[in-house]
Amino acid sequence: MDYQALADLLFPDVTMTPEDLEKKFPLRDVPQGAVVTRMAPSPTGFVHLGNLVQGLTSERMAHQSGGVLFLRVEDTDAKREVPGAVEVLINTLKHYGIQFDEGATMDGDSGIYGPYRQRQRADIYHVYARKLVSEGKAYPCFCTEEELSAMREQQEANKENTGYYGKYAIWRDRPMEDIQAQLDAGNPWVLRFRSTGSIQNQFKFDDLVKGKLTITENDIDHVLLKSDGIPTYHFAHAVDDHLMRTTHVVRGDEWLPTLPFHIQLFQALGFKLPKYVHIGPLMKMDGTSKRKLSKRKDPELALTFYKAEGFPVEAVYEYIMTLLNSNFEDWRRANPDADPTTFPFSPKKLNPAGSLFDYAKLVDVSKNVISRMDAGKVYRLLTEWAKEFDPDFGAALDADPDFATRILAIGRGGKKPRKDLAVWKDAKDYMGFFYDQYLEKPAFEGKYDASLIADVLNRFLASFDFADDANTWFAKVKAITEEIGFTTDMKAYKADPDAFPGTVADVSTFVRLAVTGKTNSPDLYTVMQILGEDRTRQRIQDTISLLKE
Ligand code: GLU
C-alpha cells in the first residue's frame, strides 16, 4: 500500500506540515520545572464541583510553580453543546477565582498557542491525521453503524472483548481500490488509529495521583477523526496538549481506561508524553455506603447551587483545599489570616480513590471563613447575593449601608468571633428583625400572664435611658427583676427552681422578644443601640399594646 498516496487522497487540502506547526508554537519560555497545564472542559452548560476540583488543582500546580494555566474549550461534540454554555463556563470559573493566563475568553482568544476552541482547530488536526496516514499509522474505515452494532453483538455472544480490533478491524488492510470505490460513492468514513499493541503486554506507568500503575496495552483501532472531520477527544488531546506545550494533564480518572491508547498515540505522533494527574471522583455518604456524587440525585454537584445558597467563593475554595490536601486545615489553623494561595499545595496528597464530599464540613468551613471577614466585606458580599437571590432583602440592605454594616459588625473581630452565618441565605433569619418589615410578632411562653409581661415592659420603658452604658442598662434590668419578685441569683434558682416565680433571664427574654421578636439574638444592649431609641421604644410599646388585646 502506498500510504503517501492514501494520505494525499484523504487530505488533499492540507498544506501545512508538522514542522510548520512546531515552529508556529515554540517551546514555552518558562522556568525549569514550571507546570504548564490547562482546563479543558466541554461546554455542556453544566459546571460542577468536579470542574472546580480539577480547576483548582491545575491552577495551584501552574501558579505555584511559576507556570501557565490556560483554558481550552473542548467543543468537538456539537450535539451536546448548549447555546451560551461557553459563557456560563468562563463566568463560573471566574466567579470561583480561577484566573487563566491564556486561552478562550469572553471576547475571543488570548495567547499565541490558539485557537483555544477545538472546532476552530480542524486544519491543525488534519496535518497530523495526514502524517499518521502517510506513515501507515491510521486508515479510513467505512463501516456503517449497523455493521458496527452487528459486530458488537457477535462479540458479546462469543464472550469476546468488544471493539474494533484484530479480525474485526475489517478496514485495516483493505486495498486502495476498495477505499477509492467507497470515496467515489461518497460514503462517509472515519479515520482510525492502527494499533500495534497487544493485550498480552503490560507496562508500568507513574501517575501523580494514582501512583504506580500497571497498564495493559491497547489493541483497539480507536477513531481519531469522526466522519465530519472533527477529532475525537483522544486525538485532540494528543495534538492540542503537544502543540500548546502542556507539561501536566490534570483530568478526571474516567479517562484512565483510555490512557493506554493516549500513550500509544503520543508515541505514534512522536510527541513527548506529558505527566498525568488523574483525579478520583467526588464521593458522598449515602446512608452507610459511599457513592459518586450524581448529577441527577445531588443538587450540590452543580456550582450554581453554591452561589444560590450564598456560600462565599472563599469558603468553597477553602473547603475544596481541605478536600484535596488534608493538611490544609492544620495549615489554616496555624495561619488564620494567610492568603490560601501561600499554602504549599501538592497533587500527591490527593486521595487516589476520590475525595469524600461532606456538606456539614463545608458549612463549618464557611462559618469560619465568614467569621474572619470584616463587616464591610460581609455587607458587600451579602448585598450582592441578596440583590440576585432575595431582591426584597437586597433592597433593604442597599437602602442603608451604614445601618446594615453596624448590624453585621456585632461580635466580629477578636479571638472568638461570632459564627452565625454559614451562607448568605442565613442572614435574613439572623438579622431580619432589625428591619420592621421582617420583624415577627413576639410569641411569649404561656407560663407568664400577659399582664405580668406588660408590667415588666412598662417598667423597662420607664427606666430606659438610651445614653446608658451596657452596665447601667443591665443594672436596671436586674432592678426590675427584683421589683417584680423574680431572682437575679441564677445559682440559687438552679438549685431550687420552684422557690422562684422567675429570673433575670426571663425578664431579659420578655424585653428581647418585644424588641427582636425572637428568643435568641445578639447582645440585646447592642441591638438597641443600633436600632436607636425611637424604634426600640416603639417596638416595646407595640408589644405592650399587643399584650393588652
Ligand atoms: N473535555 C474533557 C472533559 O471534559 C477534558 C478532559 C481533559 O481535561 O483532558 O472531560
Side-chain angles (χ1 to χ4, degrees):
M1 165 75 99
D2 182 347
Y3 293 127
Q4 190 56 56
L6 180 60
D8 291 342
L9 182 64
L10 296 177
F11 300 100
D13 301 329
V14 170
T15 49
M16 279 185 298
T17 64
E19 293 70 35
D20 296 335
L21 292 169
E22 290 297 326
K23 259 193 236 121
K24 186 162 180 214
F25 304 113
L27 291 179
R28 287 176 185 265
D29 184 16
V30 287
Q32 175 120 43
V35 170
V36 176
T37 186
R38 80 295 192 277
M39 265 195 92
S42 305
T44 58
F46 182 65
V47 195
H48 54 85
L49 212 53
N51 293 125
L52 204 53
V53 164
Q54 192 228 323
L56 291 183
T57 305
S58 331
E59 192 278 337
R60 282 297 73 219
M61 289 179 68
H63 292 153
Q64 201 166 264
S65 64
V68 177
L69 176 70
F70 64 87
L71 176 65
R72 181 169 74 225
V73 175
E74 304 219 320
D75 55 2
T76 55
D77 192 350
K79 277 195 279 326
R80 283 176 65 211
E81 189 166 335
V82 174
V86 175
E87 285 73 18
V88 171
L89 187 67
I90 293 176
N91 275 334
T92 311
L93 296 174
K94 189 166 157 217
H95 178 74
Y96 283 98
I98 300 186
Q99 299 289 353
F100 293 101
D101 304 300
E102 67 180 55
T105 75
M106 290 296 250
D107 325 302
D109 283 353
S110 134
I112 61 157
Y113 291 87
Y116 296 91
R117 292 166 215 241
Q118 289 181 328
R119 278 222 292 274
Q120 297 173 12
R121 299 174 61 78
D123 296 0
I124 296 178
Y125 303 121
H126 290 187
V127 171
Y128 291 97
R130 184 178 206 277
K131 172 181 153 78
L132 288 177
V133 173
S134 72
E135 292 170 355
K137 294 174 180 168
Y139 62 92
C141 162
F142 294 86
C143 278
T144 60
E145 283 299 328
E146 293 71 35
E147 282 175 296
L148 292 173
S149 11
M151 187 183 286
R152 171 177 271 275
E153 274 166 31
Q154 196 190 330
Q155 288 167 335
E156 277 165 2
N158 296 350
K159 301 210 169 9
E160 291 171 316
N161 289 341
T162 54
Y164 200 92
Y165 64 93
K167 66 174 192 235
Y168 295 104
I170 52 175
W171 278 93
R172 185 179 245 257
D173 292 310
R174 288 286 267 270
M176 193 68 148
E177 302 81 70
D178 290 7
I179 295 172
Q180 186 71 62
Q182 292 282 337
L183 289 176
D184 291 345
N187 289 336
W189 53 277
V190 299
L191 189 72
R192 285 188 184 272
F193 181 65
R194 186 191 302 271
S195 174
T196 51
S198 157
I199 54 168
Q200 306 306 325
N201 301 337
Q202 294 189 321
F203 61 98
K204 298 268 185 246
F205 184 82
D206 212 356
D207 182 273
L208 259 59
V209 173
K210 304 279 176 186
K212 292 220 179 329
L213 300 172
T214 302
I215 292 193
T216 302
E217 279 183 7
N218 165 60
D219 68 344
I220 296 187
D221 287 1
H222 284 290
V223 174
L224 299 176
L225 290 179
K226 295 179 267 188
S227 57
D228 55 3
I230 294 293
T232 54
Y233 165 76
H234 320 289
F235 190 42
H237 157 47
V239 171
D240 292 349
D241 282 317
H242 171 69
L243 290 180
M244 295 177 182
R245 310 299 179 183
T246 303
T247 62
H248 289 66
V249 171
V250 180
R251 64 183 182 187
D253 68 359
E254 68 273 18
W255 294 110
L256 219 43
T258 38
L259 177 66
F261 170 43
H262 301 156
I263 296 173
Q264 241 178 348
L265 199 47
F266 273 81
Q267 271 167 0
L269 288 160
F271 297 161
K272 179 167 182 248
L273 195 67
K275 292 207 164 30
Y276 284 90
V277 179
H278 281 105
I279 301 184
L282 283 168
M283 314 289 284
K284 81 182 259 184
M285 291 310 290
D286 194 350
T288 50
S289 56
K290 264 194 214 173
R291 64 165 173 80
K292 278 190 204 175
L293 275 179
S294 115
K295 185 172 169 180
R296 199 167 42 83
K297 294 191 209 151
D298 306 308
E300 70 268 34
L301 186 58
L303 286 185
T304 44
F305 170 84
Y306 300 91
K307 196 170 178 216
E309 285 296 296
F311 280 102
V313 166
E314 286 113 300
V316 178
Y317 186 101
E318 296 239 333
Y319 176 63
I320 291 187
M321 280 296 168
T322 61
L323 267 187
L324 298 180
N325 275 199
S326 55
N327 55 329
F328 180 83
E329 248 184 306
D330 285 343
W331 176 87
R332 177 45 90 204
R333 240 173 263 126
N335 305 278
D337 301 316
D339 183 327
T341 60
T342 57
F343 167 73
F345 177 83
S346 165
K348 296 210 163 103
K349 293 208 172 78
L350 264 68
N351 184 341
S355 309
L356 188 62
F357 177 80
D358 176 356
Y359 189 77
K361 180 83 201 212
L362 165 65
V363 164
D364 200 49
V365 168
S366 194
K367 276 188 179 168
N368 284 319
V369 166
I370 295 179
S371 78
R372 287 196 303 265
M373 293 176 180
D374 66 37
K377 179 163 181 182
V378 174
Y379 172 73
R380 185 168 53 73
L381 295 177
L382 168 63
T383 308
E384 199 177 290
W385 172 86
K387 281 183 174 169
E388 184 170 353
F389 295 100
D390 188 347
D392 188 64
F393 186 39
L397 292 165
D398 203 29
D400 191 346
D402 187 51
F403 179 61
T405 308
R406 286 182 70 201
I407 299 170
L408 292 165
I410 300 175
R412 217 157 266 289
K415 280 231 151 44
K416 284 213 153 161
R418 291 182 66 100
K419 296 182 182 170
D420 305 281
L421 307 177
V423 289
W424 304 133
K425 223 183 208 175
D426 294 340
K428 194 149 122 191
D429 196 38
Y430 167 67
M431 64 189 277
F433 68 83
F434 276 98
Y435 297 85
D436 294 342
Q437 68 269 38
Y438 303 130
L439 179 67
E440 289 163 28
K441 270 197 194 156
F444 293 99
E445 248 186 295
K447 195 166 140 196
Y448 298 104
D449 279 352
S451 58
L452 170 74
I453 300 168
D455 179 36
V456 166
L457 296 179
N458 273 317
R459 285 169 193 266
F460 182 86
L461 277 186
S463 70
F464 181 51
D465 182 346
F466 192 70
D468 284 344
D469 64 17
N471 287 337
T472 315
W473 178 90
F474 193 53
K476 287 182 175 175
V477 174
K478 279 188 179 160
I480 296 170
T481 306
E482 272 155 17
E483 281 161 34
I484 63 161
F486 281 24
T487 183
T488 54
D489 184 346
M490 294 308 286
K491 254 197 206 141
Y493 173 77
K494 273 195 191 118
D496 184 8
D498 294 335
F500 307 94
T503 70
V504 65
D506 297 310
V507 170
S508 301
T509 300
F510 299 158
V511 182
R512 187 183 302 277
L513 268 164
V515 176
T516 70
K518 300 162 82 101
T519 49
N520 254 320
S521 79
D523 175 63
L524 190 54
Y525 171 79
T526 313
V527 167
M528 290 183 179
Q529 289 295 309
I530 296 173
L531 271 176
E533 174 160 16
D534 294 350
R535 284 170 85 193
T536 301
R537 285 190 181 278
Q538 186 62 52
R539 287 182 176 197
I540 296 176
Q541 201 60 64
D542 289 350
T543 308
I544 295 170
S545 313
L546 208 71
L547 286 162
K548 291 210 175 112
E549 277 170 13

